[in-house]
Each structure stands twice: as structure tokens, then as C-alpha cells.
Amino acid sequence: MGFLEYVSDLCDCSLGGSKKLRKRKQLQTVEIKVKMDCEGCMRRVKKSVEGMKGVTQVEVDPKQSKLTVIGYVDPNKVLARVRQRTGKKAEFWPYVPYDVVPHPYAPEAYDMKAPPGYVRNVLAEPEVAPLTRASSIEVKYTTAFSDENPNACVVM
């Protein structure tokens, strides 16, 4: 919150007798997957959200088919606006960096359509998450033969 906003909240000189409390939206980064084939598609997707109230920054990455919106916005409203204004199929960004997932090459996590270095966000999906988590036995054996383990190959 900036200094001017703080002072304006302190010196609220509204004519009404009751003070009306407003709920402030949080600054959010919304990532959306939208297929963009050409410069025209990219321009249309970018313009669809630029005029929204609360949007501070819009970035388009056509190689990854990714739209990033930063601002004081509701993610569901941004998604609905992109769908409505462009007429394209849009969804929230379903990928995370492969370093975040314990087993990035599990059948449910690995996606051939994902950009390089990304896999599906399986930790957010409750029915798939147990399949991609390592059990304690797996962790024990994978760390036993690790290059980072100074006592590697020692009988346990």
C-alpha cells in the first residue's frame, strides 16, 4: 500500500455518515493456456485482457501458448473474458517445472504437449497425486545410490 493510499484512508472525508469498507483484491499472476497461431491471434488475445479493470501487466508467449496477466483481478473473470472475447479454448496453465514434481516421468505427470522443462501439475489433482509421490522405500533406495550422498553404496 502506497503512502498516498494510506493518507487518503486516514483522511476519508466522505459526506456519508457511515464509513464504507471496501475489500481490496490481492495482486495476482494469472497464467492461461491459449493456442495462438499467428500475430493476429496473439494481438487479439492480448487486447482481450488489456482493458480489464485492475490489470497492470500483460505478457504473451506464443511459443508456449501462454498468456500471463498480472494485476488486481479475479482469475476466473480473466479466463471467462479471454474465452468470450477471442472465441478460443482457454484454460488455466496446467504445467509446473519438472523440478517441483517428485516423479516427473510418471504416466499421469508426463505430457508430450508440455513445453520443455514442464510437466502436468499433478500435485493439485487429488486422484492422481498418490501415483506421483515417492514412498519411503523408494526414497531410501534412490538416495543410497546418489552422487550427492557421501556414504553411497554402504550397506544399510
Side-chain angles (χ1 to χ4, degrees), residues 2 11 30 34 71 74 84 97 99 130 134:
C11 304
V30 181
V34 184
D74 180 24
Q84 191 255 335
D99 298 338

Side-chain angles (χ1 to χ4, degrees), residues 6-145:
Y6 178 73
V7 171
S8 68
D9 286 344
L10 286 178
C11 304
D12 189 18
C13 301
S14 59
L15 296 174
S18 65
K19 234 183 185 184
K20 196 176 192 182
L21 295 176
R22 335 175 247 169
K23 185 177 179 185
R24 296 184 186 263
K25 292 183 180 176
Q26 295 287 328
L27 181 68
Q28 294 187 359
T29 302
V30 181
E31 295 176 330
I32 298 175
K33 179 182 175 183
V34 184
K35 186 173 181 183
M36 295 173 271
D37 298 326
C38 60
E39 291 286 326
C41 295
M42 188 175 77
R43 198 175 319 116
R44 186 173 12 163
V45 168
K46 188 172 183 177
K47 281 191 171 194
S48 69
V49 292
E50 275 185 337
M52 280 186 76
K53 183 179 178 182
V55 173
T56 57
Q57 186 178 357
V58 178
E59 296 174 11
V60 177
D61 187 0
K63 287 186 178 180
Q64 292 185 350
S65 299
K66 183 178 182 180
L67 169 70
T68 305
V69 179
I70 301 172
Y72 301 94
V73 292
D74 180 24
N76 293 321
K77 288 184 180 179
V78 174
L79 183 65
R81 179 137 174 179
V82 169
R83 286 179 180 165
Q84 191 255 335
R85 291 269 175 111
T86 62
K88 293 182 172 285
K89 180 184 172 194
E91 62 180 341
F92 289 116
W93 187 251
Y95 306 117
V96 294
Y98 73 93
D99 298 338
V100 176
V101 179
H103 289 295
Y105 298 107
E108 297 296 325
Y110 185 71
D111 187 4
M112 292 183 67
K113 295 178 183 177
Y118 287 91
V119 293
R120 282 215 168 266
N121 188 4
V122 292
L123 299 177
E125 299 174 14
E127 64 273 356
V128 179
L131 298 175
T132 59
R133 291 207 175 115
S135 66
S136 61
I137 296 170
E138 290 175 343
V139 171
K140 179 180 169 183
Y141 286 117
T142 55
T143 56
F145 298 105

